[in-house]
Every structure is written in structure tokens, then in C-alpha cells.
Amino acid sequence: MRKIMLGFLAMAMFAGLAMVTRSVHAQSSAIHSARSDAMPGAIVPAEARHSLDDLFIRWPLPPGDQSYADIDGKRMHEYVVEQAAISRRYRDQGHPQFWGRVIGTSADAESANWLAEKFKRIGLSDVHLQSFDLAPQWIPQSWEITATGAGRTLHLEGTAQPAYQTPGTGPDGLDLEAVYVGTGSEADFAGRDVRGKAAFIFSMPLPGGTRPMANAEGATKRAEAKGAAAVFLIVAQPGNMRTQLYPTSTNVPTFALGMKDGYAVRDMIGEAREAPRVKIRLNVQNVPNLKTSTVWATLPGATDETVYVMAHRDGWFDAAGDNASGVATMIGLAEHYAKIPKSQRRRTMIFLGATGHHNSTNMTANDLIARKDELFAKTALLINSEHSSTLQTYLYTEGIRWANTYTAQFWYAGGPSRPKLQDIAIRAFREFGVPTYAEPDRAALPGDMSGLYRIVPGVTTSDFNTYFHTDEETPEVVPWTGLEATTRAYAKIIDDVNRLDLKDLQRPPEPAQPPLPAPAPGALAGIVPPAKAVYKLEDAFLEWPLAHGDQAYAAIDGKHLHQYVADQAAISRRYRDDGHPQFWGRIIGSSADAESAQWLAATFQQIGLSDVHLQPFDLPPQWIPQSWEITASDGGKTLRLDGSAQPAYLSVGTGPQGVDLEAVWAGTGSEADFAGRDVRGKAVFMFSVPLPGSMEQTLTLEGGLKRAEAKGAAAIFDVIALPGNMRNVLYPTGTNVPTFALGMADGYTVRELIGKAPPGQAPHVKIHLDVKRVPDMKTAFVWGTLPGATDEKIYVMAHRDGWFDASTDNASGVATMIGLAEYYAKIPKAQRRRTMIFLGLDGHHNDTRAGRNWLIAHKDEVFAKTALVINAEHTSTLQTYLYWEDIRKANTYTAQLWYAGGPTRPQLEDIAISAFREFGVTTYAEPEKAPPPGDLGPFYRFVPGVDVGDFNMYFHTDAETPETVPWTGLEATTRAYARIIDRVNKLELKDLERPEEPAPRPSAR
Ligand SMILES: [Zn+2]
Ligand SMILES: [Zn+2]
């Protein structure tokens, strides 16, 4: 029960900026690169020319909804800042390590008084505090942690944070040998004696600090069971955050540790001849006689029926998302309804500042449950306002990138027995631009509604993203736009619910534990699948409302464009089904490539473009793996791995006899993982976090693959940490032994086999990989022209190739290019200032770059008089989230990396920014210094180029199906590109052309 009550904490944080305020945002260059403690492998973006506050994309208020205009995100954001200030005062009053609006502390009391004051000022009645005595509270007083080895000493207490309820060390502290145990599985512990030592485990957040991988997979408890005297979870979030973990149920001191600090210890262990020592002193007290309170307020309505709005006040660190945002939303609703005449408020509204659950008690929720008959007899709705706005972030190389918008949210709206309420909620979310996970959750999300949803008609949305429960959960990572969207949607839900009668909403208590369906094949341990979707995904997507003045762009229709994505995926599948079941896609040089070129040329012709033709290129012999079989066996069971094992591009084959190798697990592939492991002549399996998708990963960036080879591995398997069992094609890894990506489920099966094997009886892996260099293949450019009023030019290009269905990469970009051709073909020639040239590129999913090289060689003639080159690449990608060990789909598209002409073309950049905003193209906050990896890369230095693109979880996998390309994203990006073309056509060539720019220095790292 304690686990449930502990529920969720909020997160907060603050890492290094003394006080993040709006004035800090205003220094645009500081958006996030300045504060992010970037890892060595991070590509750093260019400086933003606008503040984050100004960059946030604001959902347009629908025309009929002006009555919600008073719900103002920027004003509510002030309430977030004020609550964070309460946390910081507490921190600065002698609590520098464990701080926040911690239940029972002076910060808790200040938060209660602050909220009561807000309620009074709004004019609510019966404002009062209901006090509770608390059981003794776990409060760590102080800690110091150092690691010494390899001739240096590291101070770790800057990011080491004791897990909630972890025991202290006693005043003398501990002095322990340090040992690194990779991902913490049995295979990682094999041959490692952790008795009486400090064990360091690599742990992915799933998400944020809610459910670290090490806990989900039992690694934390495993370390303790094997005798560890202290446990450190290295939280795999680039940078160096402090993360407050929920209880880990261990009886030895257990800490979260920032990634940078964790890697420093890992390096020290890998380097040191003698094991480093870790000194730990942790003083924890259970503090008695503390108090907390529920803050109550009432807004009387026309009847004694009730609508409740509650929000927990507590949280760790700044606790800006969890849960200053929810409290701000609650206040925003109180302000909105207080202005409406009582007679027009059908029901009495009760506002509750809950004590929260970042401790072991959860006083408010328990009190509400105990008094449910009295409190909820006439309750039509309870809104639990929790984490109502969270900054959207992405892993890009080894950095966290901020987007200019908020995350999608989990949601629960009354459950299946209240379809009317669910429908009201869905409509409100769509109307005000609250993206959600595609499916509702089976029960209220972890949080204050957990105990209540069974007995009242409840609505809650929430999210736990990157910064959750960390010291970087500052007000800056709570977009005001998200506060506004969620709060407006809640108001709309309240209004619509007030049109229903109690009988439409009240139900007998629902069963406590709805039965779970059987896990899906390949599902990882412990996931709770969502409830059934209410709509098909394509019907659930949020469509950005077209502004009144932009009706001309309505002709660009996302659903229509999506058909071109499906057509291209069908080309891939025909090739697969025609004898290429393993290595398939629109592979350059193959019959699928030829079919794609013919298809595109025919489409151009249909549109009425002129001079439609193919420009063929001869290819040097192409790397094409013909077939492979891979099994793993421990002597008993034999497992097939070729369902998800995929050779990395340019991997060498095995020869016809294949190889039979001993399997060895090398954790995260660092020196510390290899310590004491003999991998010579063996098949090495390693764990790799995608950063993002398969483009870069921890193993490629940190040298794990090359390290394995240097240590003598005869084959390498890169287990890609994407829940499920996808096939991934890796870019060339630079290794000279057979190298494969392997799905996570298969990778874990092998890890388990290795972990279970008795000493000296390692499982064996048989690999046969037949790779050929196929000669005499051809590829082609596909050209189409739309003559304009002048011979000045605008290019739109898109690469045709890709692996598997290649739906995002790059059927989406080709669809966008076709959409632009269709749009402009309908406009009279006289109104098209410049000639438009559409170019289907061969692509770059091979090692020749035939077309690219030709373009570079002919750039002076090709790009003379060119006002703009749009590279349409990955124009729509499904937004997804890691939740526990599962991937959850959202009902919208990702934010995109972007580049728009660079710093010498501020006019072009502003045109692009305003077009993205106008049509709802969410982007990373900062532009890139150079275009995102792809086809604009070789050209942007001598043409005015614009490119947005994204690489998310399904990138280069067999799960990158048309379903993962939201039609809404195709529509948004394509319309924005049309807008950019139209605005660029108002500029002169001299506004756009520049002398060739210098090649950028290799990315600042
Ligand atoms: Zn919370
Ligand atoms: Zn691409």
C-alpha cells in the first residue's frame, strides 16, 4: 500500500542556475545549451534568436470559444514561478540537498498559506486549512560521497541523491570498494564479486525518475541480494541531474547518480589498476511531530451538486511540473469560474490543495476516501490537476534537446463505464490542443487520483517526462502554452459535464484491479498496457486549425498526402515479398528503387509538371546482405535471433561455413564492463541506448563497438534499448567483424541465457551471414519542372530511398514534395514568380552518394539563380514516449530539428519560424548549426536551404510503417513549406544568395 500512497512525486529542479526566471529566458542564447551539462558526444545547436517563452507554439483559440480566452497561460505560469520560489527559500534556509515543497516542512506550510491567500483573493468562500499530524517523516539531513581511484578524487554529492526511504550510514559512514555492474542483470554480475562493495548500475529512466530500468528489471534488489553495501543507479539522462527516486525497497543506502558523474566513476573503475574506493556518509532522520494540511475553498453554485478540482501542493526541488503546474491550473479554473455569475454555475465547485504523496502518507487522499459518502454523494466530476504542462524534450546524440511545445499526456476520463464523459474529454482536448497518448489508461495515472477514480467520475491528464523529480524541473520546463491548453480543456470539460445529470456520471464503485490482458509477444516485464483505444489512430490525430486568412493552403490535405506514403511503403513490401525477406526497403539499385523512380515520375506527369525525366547513375558494387541465420543455444534451448538481428550497414559476412562462438555479455560496452571479461574470439552482446533511433546510440558514441573489436570480439551484437523487438539497420559501425543490431526482447533473452549459464558453460551463438557486393546496379534522379514567370529557381528535393517501409524516412518527405508540386501546379504560371524544380534524389542509405556527388560537381550551373532549396526529409513522425518498458504512441507528431538558411539569412529564418508557428510545425527550440543529417548537408553552404526533420524511435526500423507517419504532420509541414516558398518569392535573390559559407568546425562537443 505504501507504494501506491507514495505514488508520484514531482520533480523539480534546478541545476546550476541560481534562479531561473523569465528574465533568464529572455537571454535567448541561454535556452538550454548554456545550462545543459552536455555529454562529450552531444551535438550542440546554434543559438536561438528568440526567448523560449516567445518560441512556444500557442494553439489558436477556436472561434466559438472566446469565453475561455481569460484562461491565460502566462499568468498561470507566474503561479508556477511563485511555488518554485517557496521551494528555493526552503533550500536556502539550510536545506541545500533535500529540498522542495517537502511535506511537513516550513515549505509545505508556506505553500498552504500561499494557496489559501490566492483562493481568498479570488473571492472563494469557506477557505480553510484542514490540518493533519504526520507520522515521523523520512528526511535526509546531509550526505557526502567521494570516489577515489586512478589518482583522482571525485565528489559525487552534487548529483547523488538518496532514494526515498533509503537508510543512512551512521555517523562514521562507509568506505567501500567500487564495482560497476553495467545493466545489473545476472549476466552483468557474472564474475563480479559485489559483497560489501558499492555497486554502480546503469539505468534508463522509464520515464524520468518514476520507474528506473534498474528497479523495473530487479537490478537494484539483485545488487543488494548479492551483498552490495550500497547501490548507485546511474540515471541515463544526458547531463548531470539530481534525481529523487521513489523507494527502491533496498535496505542498504541507495542513490540516484547523474549520468556525467556516473560515467566518471565508470571510467575510473575501468582505468584503475586497483579498485577505486567510495566513501559515503548519509545522515537520515525520521522527524516526528510534523504537520501538513489540505487547503479547501468553495465557489457556491446554483445547486448543492458538486464539481471538485484538486491538485497536490508538494514536490521535490522546484517541483515546477510536479506539481506547481497542476496547482496553477487549479487556480486558473477558480479565477475563470469566479467571474461567472452564480446562477450560471450549475454546480458548487470545491477546490482542494492536496497534501500530496511525495512521502509515505498521502493524507488528503486517505481523508477523502474515508469520507467519500459525505463528500462525493452528489459529485458530478472530480478533476485531478496534476502535471498539466511539461516541456517536450528529445534525446539527440548525447544531449537533451528542448522543443518549443509541451508533451502529450497520459489520460483517464471516467473509464469505459462513462463513455459520455470520455467523449467530452476527448473533444475538449482536441479543441484546445492538448495532445494525449493515443489510448486512455486503464485507471487513473499514478498520482492523487489513484485511490479515487473508482468512486467518483474522475478526469486526469498527466505526464512524467525527462526532468520529472529532478533538480532541472524548473519553471522554465513548464510551457505556459501547455498550462493554457490543459486548463482551457478542463474548463470546457466542466461546462459540458454541467450539461449532464448526475445519473449520467455516477456509477457503483469500479473493481479495484481491472484484469490485465496477456502481454503482447515480445513485451518486456512489468508493463501495464493501456486501455482500448477509443478511435483509430488516424482519427485520433490532432489537426492544427487553419487560420482564417490561410484558407488557400487548405488545398494541401494531409490525408491525401498520406496515401503517397502508403504507396511507397507498398513498393518496399513488394520487394520484400519478391524474395528479399530480411534486407528490404526501397534499396538503392534494387528493383524497388527502379519502381520508386517510375512511380514518382508518373506522379509528376499526372500533376502536369514538364520535362519529367530520369537521370540514371551507374553504381559501384553495392553491399547487399543476401541472408542470415543466427541462433543462440545453452545446450538445451535454441533461440532464433534472426527475427530481429540485422547486420549493420557494410558489416562483413561470415563466409559460407558461418561461425560458432561463445556468447559474452559486456553490459554498456565501457572499459569497466570489459574488466575481467575475456571476449577474444567470442560474440559480444552489449546494451545501447538509441540517441535517437538507430542513428546514434550510446555504443556508437562511446566507442563500445570498436572497443569490443579491439579486445578481440569475433562478432558484435548491439542490443538496442527500444522496448519491443524491432529490427534496426545501423549506419556503418567501422568494425571489421560481423556486427548486428538486435531487438531488445531478443537481446534480453540472450542476456538471460548468459546470466543463467554455469561457469565454463557459456551459451553459443551460431551466425551465418551471406553478404554480396552486387555489381551493375543503377539508380536515378527523378526530375520535374513547373515553369514560373522567371528563370529564377526554387528547388524542392526529397530522397526516395530507405530501409523497410521507410515511411517517415523518407516516404513522408517525398509525399511533401508531391504535395507542393500539386499545390503550385494549380496556381497560374504568371503568379509563380520563380520556376520550381522538383527532384527525387537517389538517397544516401548506401555508401556511394552517386546523385549527391553529381550535384556537388555541377552546383554552379544547377544552383545558379536559386532563391531557395527545400529538402523535404522526414516531414512527419509519430510522437512516442517510453513508459515503463513500453513505447506509447501519442496522437500527434514530433517536434523537428530545423535549419533555415543559417545566421547570414535572418530574414529567411524568420520566415521559416513564422510559417512553422502559423501551421503548427513544432520544432526544437534552437536551430541547428548545419542542417539535420540528410540531403541538405552537402549543399547548405552554397544555397539558401530550409530543412526540418526528425529521427525518432522507429527511425530505420521495421516498425517505421505508414501508421507512424501522422497525416496531420504531413499537412502541417507541407503547408508551412508552401508558406515559406510564397514569402521567399517576395524577396529578391540578393536577399538570399551568399558567398559560399565556411565549412563548420566539427560539432562543438
Ligand atoms: Zn504529481
Ligand atoms: Zn532520410
Side-chain angles (χ1 to χ4, degrees), residues 22 57 85 104 109 163 170 223 260 295 342 405-406 430 439 459 496 554 573 580 595 670 679 695 737 744 797 838 911:
R22 282 168 192 283
I57 286 206
K260 240 182 165 171
V295 181
K342 180 176 169 184
T405 191
Y406 38 94
R430 297 179 74 83
E439 296 110 347
V459 170
D496 286 352
R573 292 176 187 194
H580 310 94
E595 187 181 345
S670 72
V679 303
M695 193 181 68
V737 297
M744 192 170 178
M797 59 193 208
F838 299 90
I911 284 172

Side-chain angles (χ1 to χ4, degrees), residues 178-180 198 200 264-276 671-672 675:
V179 56
Y180 183 70
F200 289 79
V265 174
R266 185 176 79 167
D267 288 348
M268 188 183 265
I269 293 170
E271 250 175 75
R273 297 228 177 101
E274 256 172 68
E671 284 296 339

Side-chain angles (χ1 to χ4, degrees), residues 48-50 55 898 900-902 905-918 946 979-980 983-984 987:
R49 294 170 43 245
H50 303 273
L55 286 171
W898 64 286
R905 297 183 188 88
Q907 270 180 304
L908 179 53
E909 191 168 282
D910 280 344
I911 284 172
I913 290 174
S914 85
F916 299 152
R917 298 181 73 81
E918 195 170 343
V946 172
R979 176 57 121 184
I980 291 168
R983 292 244 166 91
V984 162
L987 298 181

Side-chain angles (χ1 to χ4, degrees), residues 879-895:
Q879 209 177 98
T880 51
Y881 292 85
L882 288 184
Y883 187 60
W884 294 20
E885 284 191 310
D886 194 9
I887 294 175
R888 287 285 193 90
K889 294 175 174 165
N891 66 352
T892 190
Y893 40 92
T894 58

Side-chain angles (χ1 to χ4, degrees), residues 741-793:
L742 188 62
M744 192 170 178
D746 279 346
Y748 274 19
T749 306
V750 173
R751 187 177 73 166
E752 214 176 298
L753 273 190
I754 294 171
K756 277 197 316 215
Q761 297 176 43
H764 271 243
V765 180
K766 287 189 187 169
I767 308 168
H768 169 249
L769 168 60
D770 176 15
V771 167
K772 282 203 169 63
R773 286 278 179 175
V774 181
D776 303 326
M777 295 181 120
K778 284 182 193 306
T779 187
F781 276 172
V782 181
W783 295 89
T785 300
L786 189 61
T790 71
D791 65 351
E792 293 180 7
K793 290 176 284 192

